[in-house]
Amino acid sequence: MQLIKNTAKKNQNVKFLQGNIILVGMMGAGKTTIGKLLANHMGKTFIDSDHEIQQRTGVKIPVIFEIEGEAGFRRRETEVLQELVQAENIVLATGGGAVLSGENRTLLRQHGIVVYLSASVDELQRRTRSDKNRPLLQTDDLHARLMELHAQRDALYRETAHIIIDSGKQGVRSLVQRLARKLLFFKIKKLRAEAVNRKKCGLALSSKQTLDSSQTDFPETKNSLYE
Ligand SMILES: Nc1ncnc2c1ncn2[C@@H]1O[C@H](COP(=O)(O)OP(=O)(O)O)[C@@H](O)[C@H]1O
Ligand SMILES: O=C(O)C1=C[C@@H](OP(=O)(O)O)[C@@H](O)[C@H](O)C1
Ligand SMILES: [Mg+2]
């Protein structure tokens, strides 16, 4: 009986949370790993922008960096993101540098709930130290490089995200469950804010019988679920 209740509740939540979820964060934050599990948990399709770029070019990311430089990779990344965000009901894992462009940041925020998976530099170092597929991390001093990238990017991830979650403190499965709960609360909060505003707009209309554009704008839900 409990199982039936739980399943019914999960199905309700799945329906309620239709739409895109977009993961941003540093290399090693877990965007690809958590993204796959989250998509499975929420009945969404998983897409990874790096994977997509590799599919389309037929080569691995280090080869793109070698031939076209980082600038060439960034052009491809923007192009692919513009296309991928048009999908519906996906979990999109972006590459760690996607937020470097203002154009990308706006695009991502407009097309889904953006989640910043944050982690300490020590944790990121543990997770990426033996990786050969991240050209920006092929250096003698991995810790210093990660510190530098984190200093450049942390504010951009925060600016882009609707939700921030620390990905460093627990196993991946409980992280996915915690994130799913946060997404649910975020949606509830957003709908409440919209309902309150509709009510306000209605009252303003009946008293003034006018409606200008500032009254129709719903409040930004920006960064409303920080830990
Ligand atoms: N929350 C986590 N806890 C422990 N290890 C993790 C976690 N998230 C990812 N990892 C591990 O870190 C490595 C990098 O993860 P990945 O998903 O590729 O990160 P990203 O796509 O953000 O660069 C992988 O080996 C993965 O298993
Ligand atoms: O942070 C970055 O600039 C990059 C992150 C990588 O993706 P992950 O964040 O999935 O490792 C990949 O897009 C490329 O190597 C550049
Ligand atoms: Mg990844």
Side-chain angles (χ1 to χ4, degrees), residues 158-194:
R158 288 175 189 275
E159 174 192 319
T160 315
H162 297 98
I163 294 175
I164 299 177
I165 188 161
D166 186 341
S167 85
K169 289 192 186 116
Q170 58 195 141
V172 288
R173 297 209 171 264
S174 53
L175 176 59
V176 167
Q177 280 177 6
R178 196 156 58 95
L179 179 52
R181 266 199 307 277
K182 265 178 168 284
L183 286 160
L184 195 60
F185 286 130
F186 176 82
K187 194 81 182 248
I188 291 168
K189 212 170 158 181
K190 184 168 183 268
L191 289 177
R192 277 209 191 120
E194 286 173 359

PDB file of all heavy atoms in Angstrom, residues 158-194:
ATOM      1  N   ARG A 158      27.200  31.238  -9.880  1.00  0.00           N
ATOM      2  CA  ARG A 158      26.184  31.725  -8.933  1.00  0.00           C
ATOM      3  C   ARG A 158      25.186  32.653  -9.622  1.00  0.00           C
ATOM      4  O   ARG A 158      23.979  32.607  -9.363  1.00  0.00           O
ATOM      5  CB  ARG A 158      26.830  32.448  -7.747  1.00  0.00           C
ATOM      6  CG  ARG A 158      27.513  31.473  -6.824  1.00  0.00           C
ATOM      7  CD  ARG A 158      28.286  32.105  -5.696  1.00  0.00           C
ATOM      8  NE  ARG A 158      29.045  31.054  -5.030  1.00  0.00           N
ATOM      9  CZ  ARG A 158      28.561  30.266  -4.070  1.00  0.00           C
ATOM     10  NH1 ARG A 158      27.317  30.439  -3.650  1.00  0.00           N
ATOM     11  NH2 ARG A 158      29.286  29.303  -3.541  1.00  0.00           N
ATOM     12  N   GLU A 159      25.722  33.488 -10.492  1.00  0.00           N
ATOM     13  CA  GLU A 159      24.874  34.444 -11.222  1.00  0.00           C
ATOM     14  C   GLU A 159      23.900  33.711 -12.149  1.00  0.00           C
ATOM     15  O   GLU A 159      22.779  34.143 -12.367  1.00  0.00           O
ATOM     16  CB  GLU A 159      25.820  35.341 -12.036  1.00  0.00           C
ATOM     17  CG  GLU A 159      25.160  36.300 -12.976  1.00  0.00           C
ATOM     18  CD  GLU A 159      26.201  36.916 -13.934  1.00  0.00           C
ATOM     19  OE1 GLU A 159      27.329  37.252 -13.500  1.00  0.00           O
ATOM     20  OE2 GLU A 159      25.864  37.047 -15.129  1.00  0.00           O
ATOM     21  N   THR A 160      24.336  32.596 -12.691  1.00  0.00           N
ATOM     22  CA  THR A 160      23.514  31.871 -13.666  1.00  0.00           C
ATOM     23  C   THR A 160      22.486  30.968 -12.989  1.00  0.00           C
ATOM     24  O   THR A 160      21.416  30.707 -13.546  1.00  0.00           O
ATOM     25  CB  THR A 160      24.415  31.009 -14.586  1.00  0.00           C
ATOM     26  OG1 THR A 160      25.533  31.789 -14.992  1.00  0.00           O
ATOM     27  CG2 THR A 160      23.668  30.527 -15.818  1.00  0.00           C
ATOM     28  N   ALA A 161      22.801  30.507 -11.779  1.00  0.00           N
ATOM     29  CA  ALA A 161      21.988  29.446 -11.174  1.00  0.00           C
ATOM     30  C   ALA A 161      20.719  29.941 -10.483  1.00  0.00           C
ATOM     31  O   ALA A 161      20.698  31.016  -9.909  1.00  0.00           O
ATOM     32  CB  ALA A 161      22.841  28.693 -10.155  1.00  0.00           C
ATOM     33  N   HIS A 162      19.682  29.109 -10.547  1.00  0.00           N
ATOM     34  CA  HIS A 162      18.490  29.323  -9.724  1.00  0.00           C
ATOM     35  C   HIS A 162      18.667  28.577  -8.392  1.00  0.00           C
ATOM     36  O   HIS A 162      18.085  28.944  -7.380  1.00  0.00           O
ATOM     37  CB  HIS A 162      17.243  28.769 -10.419  1.00  0.00           C
ATOM     38  CG  HIS A 162      16.923  29.444 -11.717  1.00  0.00           C
ATOM     39  ND1 HIS A 162      17.279  28.930 -12.937  1.00  0.00           N
ATOM     40  CD2 HIS A 162      16.283  30.606 -11.972  1.00  0.00           C
ATOM     41  CE1 HIS A 162      16.860  29.749 -13.895  1.00  0.00           C
ATOM     42  NE2 HIS A 162      16.251  30.770 -13.342  1.00  0.00           N
ATOM     43  N   ILE A 163      19.416  27.482  -8.443  1.00  0.00           N
ATOM     44  CA  ILE A 163      19.606  26.640  -7.252  1.00  0.00           C
ATOM     45  C   ILE A 163      21.090  26.318  -7.128  1.00  0.00           C
ATOM     46  O   ILE A 163      21.748  26.039  -8.134  1.00  0.00           O
ATOM     47  CB  ILE A 163      18.818  25.309  -7.395  1.00  0.00           C
ATOM     48  CG1 ILE A 163      17.311  25.573  -7.419  1.00  0.00           C
ATOM     49  CG2 ILE A 163      19.180  24.317  -6.295  1.00  0.00           C
ATOM     50  CD1 ILE A 163      16.474  24.325  -7.683  1.00  0.00           C
ATOM     51  N   ILE A 164      21.595  26.347  -5.903  1.00  0.00           N
ATOM     52  CA  ILE A 164      22.987  25.953  -5.676  1.00  0.00           C
ATOM     53  C   ILE A 164      22.993  24.779  -4.714  1.00  0.00           C
ATOM     54  O   ILE A 164      22.293  24.804  -3.699  1.00  0.00           O
ATOM     55  CB  ILE A 164      23.793  27.121  -5.073  1.00  0.00           C
ATOM     56  CG1 ILE A 164      23.795  28.306  -6.041  1.00  0.00           C
ATOM     57  CG2 ILE A 164      25.235  26.684  -4.788  1.00  0.00           C
ATOM     58  CD1 ILE A 164      24.496  29.535  -5.508  1.00  0.00           C
ATOM     59  N   ILE A 165      23.757  23.746  -5.043  1.00  0.00           N
ATOM     60  CA  ILE A 165      23.808  22.585  -4.151  1.00  0.00           C
ATOM     61  C   ILE A 165      25.248  22.109  -4.022  1.00  0.00           C
ATOM     62  O   ILE A 165      25.975  22.045  -5.014  1.00  0.00           O
ATOM     63  CB  ILE A 165      22.848  21.455  -4.642  1.00  0.00           C
ATOM     64  CG1 ILE A 165      22.755  20.339  -3.613  1.00  0.00           C
ATOM     65  CG2 ILE A 165      23.255  20.917  -6.007  1.00  0.00           C
ATOM     66  CD1 ILE A 165      21.518  19.453  -3.794  1.00  0.00           C
ATOM     67  N   ASP A 166      25.641  21.806  -2.800  1.00  0.00           N
ATOM     68  CA  ASP A 166      27.005  21.333  -2.553  1.00  0.00           C
ATOM     69  C   ASP A 166      27.073  19.856  -2.939  1.00  0.00           C
ATOM     70  O   ASP A 166      26.365  19.030  -2.376  1.00  0.00           O
ATOM     71  CB  ASP A 166      27.331  21.536  -1.067  1.00  0.00           C
ATOM     72  CG  ASP A 166      28.770  21.195  -0.764  1.00  0.00           C
ATOM     73  OD1 ASP A 166      29.407  20.487  -1.571  1.00  0.00           O
ATOM     74  OD2 ASP A 166      29.258  21.630   0.287  1.00  0.00           O
ATOM     75  N   SER A 167      27.933  19.561  -3.908  1.00  0.00           N
ATOM     76  CA  SER A 167      27.978  18.185  -4.424  1.00  0.00           C
ATOM     77  C   SER A 167      29.063  17.368  -3.731  1.00  0.00           C
ATOM     78  O   SER A 167      29.324  16.239  -4.094  1.00  0.00           O
ATOM     79  CB  SER A 167      28.257  18.200  -5.927  1.00  0.00           C
ATOM     80  OG  SER A 167      29.653  18.276  -6.165  1.00  0.00           O
ATOM     81  N   GLY A 168      29.696  17.954  -2.701  1.00  0.00           N
ATOM     82  CA  GLY A 168      30.879  17.289  -2.167  1.00  0.00           C
ATOM     83  C   GLY A 168      30.672  16.452  -0.927  1.00  0.00           C
ATOM     84  O   GLY A 168      31.562  15.739  -0.512  1.00  0.00           O
ATOM     85  N   LYS A 169      29.493  16.520  -0.328  1.00  0.00           N
ATOM     86  CA  LYS A 169      29.407  15.989   1.037  1.00  0.00           C
ATOM     87  C   LYS A 169      28.793  14.609   1.172  1.00  0.00           C
ATOM     88  O   LYS A 169      28.763  14.054   2.256  1.00  0.00           O
ATOM     89  CB  LYS A 169      28.603  16.972   1.895  1.00  0.00           C
ATOM     90  CG  LYS A 169      29.374  18.247   2.175  1.00  0.00           C
ATOM     91  CD  LYS A 169      28.694  19.051   3.249  1.00  0.00           C
ATOM     92  CE  LYS A 169      29.366  20.392   3.440  1.00  0.00           C
ATOM     93  NZ  LYS A 169      28.530  21.530   3.117  1.00  0.00           N
ATOM     94  N   GLN A 170      28.233  14.080   0.119  1.00  0.00           N
ATOM     95  CA  GLN A 170      27.540  12.809   0.310  1.00  0.00           C
ATOM     96  C   GLN A 170      27.601  11.953  -0.960  1.00  0.00           C
ATOM     97  O   GLN A 170      28.049  12.425  -1.999  1.00  0.00           O
ATOM     98  CB  GLN A 170      26.083  13.063   0.705  1.00  0.00           C
ATOM     99  CG  GLN A 170      25.341  13.879  -0.300  1.00  0.00           C
ATOM    100  CD  GLN A 170      24.035  14.435   0.233  1.00  0.00           C
ATOM    101  OE1 GLN A 170      23.677  15.546  -0.061  1.00  0.00           O
ATOM    102  NE2 GLN A 170      23.304  13.661   1.010  1.00  0.00           N
ATOM    103  N   GLY A 171      27.139  10.743  -0.850  1.00  0.00           N
ATOM    104  CA  GLY A 171      27.126   9.835  -1.995  1.00  0.00           C
ATOM    105  C   GLY A 171      26.206  10.346  -3.092  1.00  0.00           C
ATOM    106  O   GLY A 171      25.318  11.162  -2.832  1.00  0.00           O
ATOM    107  N   VAL A 172      26.451   9.862  -4.311  1.00  0.00           N
ATOM    108  CA  VAL A 172      25.705  10.405  -5.446  1.00  0.00           C
ATOM    109  C   VAL A 172      24.194  10.171  -5.354  1.00  0.00           C
ATOM    110  O   VAL A 172      23.414  11.029  -5.743  1.00  0.00           O
ATOM    111  CB  VAL A 172      26.252   9.864  -6.798  1.00  0.00           C
ATOM    112  CG1 VAL A 172      27.589  10.479  -7.121  1.00  0.00           C
ATOM    113  CG2 VAL A 172      26.327   8.371  -6.818  1.00  0.00           C
ATOM    114  N   ARG A 173      23.800   9.012  -4.806  1.00  0.00           N
ATOM    115  CA  ARG A 173      22.356   8.725  -4.784  1.00  0.00           C
ATOM    116  C   ARG A 173      21.612   9.663  -3.835  1.00  0.00           C
ATOM    117  O   ARG A 173      20.552  10.190  -4.168  1.00  0.00           O
ATOM    118  CB  ARG A 173      22.088   7.271  -4.404  1.00  0.00           C
ATOM    119  CG  ARG A 173      22.669   6.379  -5.448  1.00  0.00           C
ATOM    120  CD  ARG A 173      22.015   5.062  -5.678  1.00  0.00           C
ATOM    121  NE  ARG A 173      22.640   4.505  -6.883  1.00  0.00           N
ATOM    122  CZ  ARG A 173      22.157   4.610  -8.091  1.00  0.00           C
ATOM    123  NH1 ARG A 173      20.997   5.203  -8.294  1.00  0.00           N
ATOM    124  NH2 ARG A 173      22.799   4.114  -9.122  1.00  0.00           N
ATOM    125  N   SER A 174      22.181   9.899  -2.662  1.00  0.00           N
ATOM    126  CA  SER A 174      21.464  10.813  -1.754  1.00  0.00           C
ATOM    127  C   SER A 174      21.547  12.246  -2.274  1.00  0.00           C
ATOM    128  O   SER A 174      20.631  13.033  -2.060  1.00  0.00           O
ATOM    129  CB  SER A 174      21.930  10.699  -0.306  1.00  0.00           C
ATOM    130  OG  SER A 174      23.302  10.845  -0.233  1.00  0.00           O
ATOM    131  N   LEU A 175      22.619  12.555  -3.000  1.00  0.00           N
ATOM    132  CA  LEU A 175      22.707  13.893  -3.607  1.00  0.00           C
ATOM    133  C   LEU A 175      21.574  14.092  -4.620  1.00  0.00           C
ATOM    134  O   LEU A 175      20.921  15.140  -4.646  1.00  0.00           O
ATOM    135  CB  LEU A 175      24.073  14.070  -4.279  1.00  0.00           C
ATOM    136  CG  LEU A 175      24.305  15.366  -5.047  1.00  0.00           C
ATOM    137  CD1 LEU A 175      24.139  16.584  -4.150  1.00  0.00           C
ATOM    138  CD2 LEU A 175      25.697  15.380  -5.672  1.00  0.00           C
ATOM    139  N   VAL A 176      21.327  13.069  -5.421  1.00  0.00           N
ATOM    140  CA  VAL A 176      20.258  13.158  -6.425  1.00  0.00           C
ATOM    141  C   VAL A 176      18.902  13.358  -5.737  1.00  0.00           C
ATOM    142  O   VAL A 176      18.094  14.191  -6.154  1.00  0.00           O
ATOM    143  CB  VAL A 176      20.247  11.905  -7.323  1.00  0.00           C
ATOM    144  CG1 VAL A 176      18.973  11.807  -8.149  1.00  0.00           C
ATOM    145  CG2 VAL A 176      21.464  11.911  -8.233  1.00  0.00           C
ATOM    146  N   GLN A 177      18.691  12.624  -4.645  1.00  0.00           N
ATOM    147  CA  GLN A 177      17.398  12.768  -3.949  1.00  0.00           C
ATOM    148  C   GLN A 177      17.248  14.156  -3.342  1.00  0.00           C
ATOM    149  O   GLN A 177      16.185  14.766  -3.400  1.00  0.00           O
ATOM    150  CB  GLN A 177      17.279  11.696  -2.882  1.00  0.00           C
ATOM    151  CG  GLN A 177      16.870  10.382  -3.533  1.00  0.00           C
ATOM    152  CD  GLN A 177      16.791   9.238  -2.568  1.00  0.00           C
ATOM    153  OE1 GLN A 177      16.934   9.436  -1.366  1.00  0.00           O
ATOM    154  NE2 GLN A 177      16.581   8.052  -3.090  1.00  0.00           N
ATOM    155  N   ARG A 178      18.344  14.643  -2.766  1.00  0.00           N
ATOM    156  CA  ARG A 178      18.302  15.983  -2.161  1.00  0.00           C
ATOM    157  C   ARG A 178      18.032  17.040  -3.236  1.00  0.00           C
ATOM    158  O   ARG A 178      17.259  17.967  -3.047  1.00  0.00           O
ATOM    159  CB  ARG A 178      19.634  16.255  -1.450  1.00  0.00           C
ATOM    160  CG  ARG A 178      19.606  17.420  -0.475  1.00  0.00           C
ATOM    161  CD  ARG A 178      20.694  17.281   0.573  1.00  0.00           C
ATOM    162  NE  ARG A 178      22.013  17.205  -0.040  1.00  0.00           N
ATOM    163  CZ  ARG A 178      22.821  18.236  -0.215  1.00  0.00           C
ATOM    164  NH1 ARG A 178      22.445  19.442   0.145  1.00  0.00           N
ATOM    165  NH2 ARG A 178      24.008  18.080  -0.752  1.00  0.00           N
ATOM    166  N   LEU A 179      18.671  16.864  -4.391  1.00  0.00           N
ATOM    167  CA  LEU A 179      18.478  17.823  -5.482  1.00  0.00           C
ATOM    168  C   LEU A 179      17.039  17.771  -6.003  1.00  0.00           C
ATOM    169  O   LEU A 179      16.426  18.812  -6.273  1.00  0.00           O
ATOM    170  CB  LEU A 179      19.497  17.546  -6.601  1.00  0.00           C
ATOM    171  CG  LEU A 179      19.412  18.435  -7.831  1.00  0.00           C
ATOM    172  CD1 LEU A 179      19.426  19.917  -7.473  1.00  0.00           C
ATOM    173  CD2 LEU A 179      20.574  18.136  -8.790  1.00  0.00           C
ATOM    174  N   ALA A 180      16.501  16.568  -6.131  1.00  0.00           N
ATOM    175  CA  ALA A 180      15.120  16.443  -6.609  1.00  0.00           C
ATOM    176  C   ALA A 180      14.164  17.172  -5.655  1.00  0.00           C
ATOM    177  O   ALA A 180      13.224  17.841  -6.091  1.00  0.00           O
ATOM    178  CB  ALA A 180      14.748  14.965  -6.741  1.00  0.00           C
ATOM    179  N   ARG A 181      14.429  17.059  -4.361  1.00  0.00           N
ATOM    180  CA  ARG A 181      13.581  17.760  -3.369  1.00  0.00           C
ATOM    181  C   ARG A 181      13.704  19.273  -3.526  1.00  0.00           C
ATOM    182  O   ARG A 181      12.732  20.006  -3.489  1.00  0.00           O
ATOM    183  CB  ARG A 181      13.989  17.356  -1.945  1.00  0.00           C
ATOM    184  CG  ARG A 181      13.149  16.199  -1.389  1.00  0.00           C
ATOM    185  CD  ARG A 181      13.231  16.128   0.129  1.00  0.00           C
ATOM    186  NE  ARG A 181      14.579  16.096   0.639  1.00  0.00           N
ATOM    187  CZ  ARG A 181      15.336  15.000   0.737  1.00  0.00           C
ATOM    188  NH1 ARG A 181      14.850  13.847   0.329  1.00  0.00           N
ATOM    189  NH2 ARG A 181      16.555  15.060   1.232  1.00  0.00           N
ATOM    190  N   LYS A 182      14.937  19.731  -3.707  1.00  0.00           N
ATOM    191  CA  LYS A 182      15.170  21.168  -3.867  1.00  0.00           C
ATOM    192  C   LYS A 182      14.438  21.696  -5.104  1.00  0.00           C
ATOM    193  O   LYS A 182      13.894  22.791  -5.098  1.00  0.00           O
ATOM    194  CB  LYS A 182      16.667  21.439  -4.041  1.00  0.00           C
ATOM    195  CG  LYS A 182      17.382  21.799  -2.766  1.00  0.00           C
ATOM    196  CD  LYS A 182      18.849  22.002  -3.061  1.00  0.00           C
ATOM    197  CE  LYS A 182      19.600  22.627  -1.923  1.00  0.00           C
ATOM    198  NZ  LYS A 182      19.378  24.066  -1.759  1.00  0.00           N
ATOM    199  N   LEU A 183      14.456  20.897  -6.170  1.00  0.00           N
ATOM    200  CA  LEU A 183      13.789  21.314  -7.410  1.00  0.00           C
ATOM    201  C   LEU A 183      12.291  21.450  -7.179  1.00  0.00           C
ATOM    202  O   LEU A 183      11.651  22.381  -7.677  1.00  0.00           O
ATOM    203  CB  LEU A 183      14.081  20.306  -8.522  1.00  0.00           C
ATOM    204  CG  LEU A 183      15.499  20.396  -9.088  1.00  0.00           C
ATOM    205  CD1 LEU A 183      15.888  19.110  -9.811  1.00  0.00           C
ATOM    206  CD2 LEU A 183      15.621  21.588 -10.045  1.00  0.00           C
ATOM    207  N   LEU A 184      11.750  20.521  -6.413  1.00  0.00           N
ATOM    208  CA  LEU A 184      10.323  20.549  -6.108  1.00  0.00           C
ATOM    209  C   LEU A 184       9.976  21.817  -5.312  1.00  0.00           C
ATOM    210  O   LEU A 184       9.049  22.547  -5.650  1.00  0.00           O
ATOM    211  CB  LEU A 184       9.980  19.296  -5.299  1.00  0.00           C
ATOM    212  CG  LEU A 184       8.530  18.924  -5.164  1.00  0.00           C
ATOM    213  CD1 LEU A 184       7.914  18.674  -6.529  1.00  0.00           C
ATOM    214  CD2 LEU A 184       8.410  17.657  -4.310  1.00  0.00           C
ATOM    215  N   PHE A 185      10.757  22.115  -4.278  1.00  0.00           N
ATOM    216  CA  PHE A 185      10.517  23.318  -3.463  1.00  0.00           C
ATOM    217  C   PHE A 185      10.660  24.581  -4.308  1.00  0.00           C
ATOM    218  O   PHE A 185       9.920  25.536  -4.152  1.00  0.00           O
ATOM    219  CB  PHE A 185      11.460  23.378  -2.264  1.00  0.00           C
ATOM    220  CG  PHE A 185      11.098  22.403  -1.187  1.00  0.00           C
ATOM    221  CD1 PHE A 185      12.054  21.561  -0.642  1.00  0.00           C
ATOM    222  CD2 PHE A 185       9.796  22.307  -0.714  1.00  0.00           C
ATOM    223  CE1 PHE A 185      11.714  20.642   0.344  1.00  0.00           C
ATOM    224  CE2 PHE A 185       9.452  21.391   0.276  1.00  0.00           C
ATOM    225  CZ  PHE A 185      10.418  20.559   0.804  1.00  0.00           C
ATOM    226  N   PHE A 186      11.637  24.568  -5.196  1.00  0.00           N
ATOM    227  CA  PHE A 186      11.866  25.732  -6.055  1.00  0.00           C
ATOM    228  C   PHE A 186      10.631  26.008  -6.908  1.00  0.00           C
ATOM    229  O   PHE A 186      10.163  27.143  -7.023  1.00  0.00           O
ATOM    230  CB  PHE A 186      13.086  25.501  -6.953  1.00  0.00           C
ATOM    231  CG  PHE A 186      13.316  26.625  -7.921  1.00  0.00           C
ATOM    232  CD1 PHE A 186      13.981  27.785  -7.515  1.00  0.00           C
ATOM    233  CD2 PHE A 186      12.852  26.562  -9.226  1.00  0.00           C
ATOM    234  CE1 PHE A 186      14.177  28.839  -8.392  1.00  0.00           C
ATOM    235  CE2 PHE A 186      13.045  27.604 -10.107  1.00  0.00           C
ATOM    236  CZ  PHE A 186      13.704  28.745  -9.693  1.00  0.00           C
ATOM    237  N   LYS A 187      10.094  24.941  -7.486  1.00  0.00           N
ATOM    238  CA  LYS A 187       8.929  25.081  -8.358  1.00  0.00           C
ATOM    239  C   LYS A 187       7.727  25.593  -7.570  1.00  0.00           C
ATOM    240  O   LYS A 187       6.996  26.474  -8.027  1.00  0.00           O
ATOM    241  CB  LYS A 187       8.641  23.706  -8.988  1.00  0.00           C
ATOM    242  CG  LYS A 187       7.704  23.726 -10.159  1.00  0.00           C
ATOM    243  CD  LYS A 187       8.379  24.124 -11.437  1.00  0.00           C
ATOM    244  CE  LYS A 187       7.408  24.189 -12.584  1.00  0.00           C
ATOM    245  NZ  LYS A 187       7.598  23.181 -13.593  1.00  0.00           N
ATOM    246  N   ILE A 188       7.549  25.047  -6.371  1.00  0.00           N
ATOM    247  CA  ILE A 188       6.414  25.475  -5.535  1.00  0.00           C
ATOM    248  C   ILE A 188       6.537  26.968  -5.219  1.00  0.00           C
ATOM    249  O   ILE A 188       5.589  27.732  -5.362  1.00  0.00           O
ATOM    250  CB  ILE A 188       6.369  24.649  -4.221  1.00  0.00           C
ATOM    251  CG1 ILE A 188       5.989  23.200  -4.529  1.00  0.00           C
ATOM    252  CG2 ILE A 188       5.387  25.256  -3.218  1.00  0.00           C
ATOM    253  CD1 ILE A 188       6.186  22.246  -3.366  1.00  0.00           C
ATOM    254  N   LYS A 189       7.777  27.360  -4.842  1.00  0.00           N
ATOM    255  CA  LYS A 189       8.015  28.758  -4.483  1.00  0.00           C
ATOM    256  C   LYS A 189       7.749  29.687  -5.677  1.00  0.00           C
ATOM    257  O   LYS A 189       7.165  30.750  -5.546  1.00  0.00           O
ATOM    258  CB  LYS A 189       9.480  28.887  -4.040  1.00  0.00           C
ATOM    259  CG  LYS A 189       9.707  29.913  -3.000  1.00  0.00           C
ATOM    260  CD  LYS A 189      11.107  29.820  -2.447  1.00  0.00           C
ATOM    261  CE  LYS A 189      11.456  31.165  -1.840  1.00  0.00           C
ATOM    262  NZ  LYS A 189      12.788  31.205  -1.305  1.00  0.00           N
ATOM    263  N   LYS A 190       8.171  29.242  -6.851  1.00  0.00           N
ATOM    264  CA  LYS A 190       8.007  30.043  -8.057  1.00  0.00           C
ATOM    265  C   LYS A 190       6.518  30.213  -8.376  1.00  0.00           C
ATOM    266  O   LYS A 190       6.049  31.311  -8.674  1.00  0.00           O
ATOM    267  CB  LYS A 190       8.724  29.335  -9.208  1.00  0.00           C
ATOM    268  CG  LYS A 190       8.740  30.084 -10.504  1.00  0.00           C
ATOM    269  CD  LYS A 190       9.714  29.423 -11.467  1.00  0.00           C
ATOM    270  CE  LYS A 190       9.815  30.198 -12.746  1.00  0.00           C
ATOM    271  NZ  LYS A 190       8.856  29.719 -13.753  1.00  0.00           N
ATOM    272  N   LEU A 191       5.774  29.089  -8.294  1.00  0.00           N
ATOM    273  CA  LEU A 191       4.345  29.159  -8.600  1.00  0.00           C
ATOM    274  C   LEU A 191       3.614  30.063  -7.607  1.00  0.00           C
ATOM    275  O   LEU A 191       2.739  30.836  -7.975  1.00  0.00           O
ATOM    276  CB  LEU A 191       3.736  27.752  -8.598  1.00  0.00           C
ATOM    277  CG  LEU A 191       4.153  26.857  -9.772  1.00  0.00           C
ATOM    278  CD1 LEU A 191       3.558  25.478  -9.638  1.00  0.00           C
ATOM    279  CD2 LEU A 191       3.729  27.492 -11.102  1.00  0.00           C
ATOM    280  N   ARG A 192       4.022  29.956  -6.331  1.00  0.00           N
ATOM    281  CA  ARG A 192       3.409  30.826  -5.299  1.00  0.00           C
ATOM    282  C   ARG A 192       3.656  32.292  -5.629  1.00  0.00           C
ATOM    283  O   ARG A 192       2.754  33.111  -5.579  1.00  0.00           O
ATOM    284  CB  ARG A 192       4.014  30.520  -3.935  1.00  0.00           C
ATOM    285  CG  ARG A 192       3.362  29.353  -3.274  1.00  0.00           C
ATOM    286  CD  ARG A 192       3.434  29.517  -1.746  1.00  0.00           C
ATOM    287  NE  ARG A 192       3.030  28.253  -1.154  1.00  0.00           N
ATOM    288  CZ  ARG A 192       3.796  27.522  -0.372  1.00  0.00           C
ATOM    289  NH1 ARG A 192       5.011  27.928  -0.062  1.00  0.00           N
ATOM    290  NH2 ARG A 192       3.349  26.397   0.118  1.00  0.00           N
ATOM    291  N   ALA A 193       4.918  32.615  -5.984  1.00  0.00           N
ATOM    292  CA  ALA A 193       5.266  34.015  -6.285  1.00  0.00           C
ATOM    293  C   ALA A 193       4.459  34.503  -7.475  1.00  0.00           C
ATOM    294  O   ALA A 193       3.973  35.640  -7.489  1.00  0.00           O
ATOM    295  CB  ALA A 193       6.763  34.116  -6.570  1.00  0.00           C
ATOM    296  N   GLU A 194       4.268  33.634  -8.452  1.00  0.00           N
ATOM    297  CA  GLU A 194       3.499  34.020  -9.642  1.00  0.00           C
ATOM    298  C   GLU A 194       2.032  34.262  -9.291  1.00  0.00           C
ATOM    299  O   GLU A 194       1.418  35.216  -9.764  1.00  0.00           O
ATOM    300  CB  GLU A 194       3.626  32.940 -10.721  1.00  0.00           C
ATOM    301  CG  GLU A 194       4.993  32.948 -11.384  1.00  0.00           C
ATOM    302  CD  GLU A 194       5.200  31.785 -12.347  1.00  0.00           C
ATOM    303  OE1 GLU A 194       4.292  30.944 -12.489  1.00  0.00           O
ATOM    304  OE2 GLU A 194       6.278  31.731 -12.945  1.00  0.00           O
TER     305      GLU A 194
END
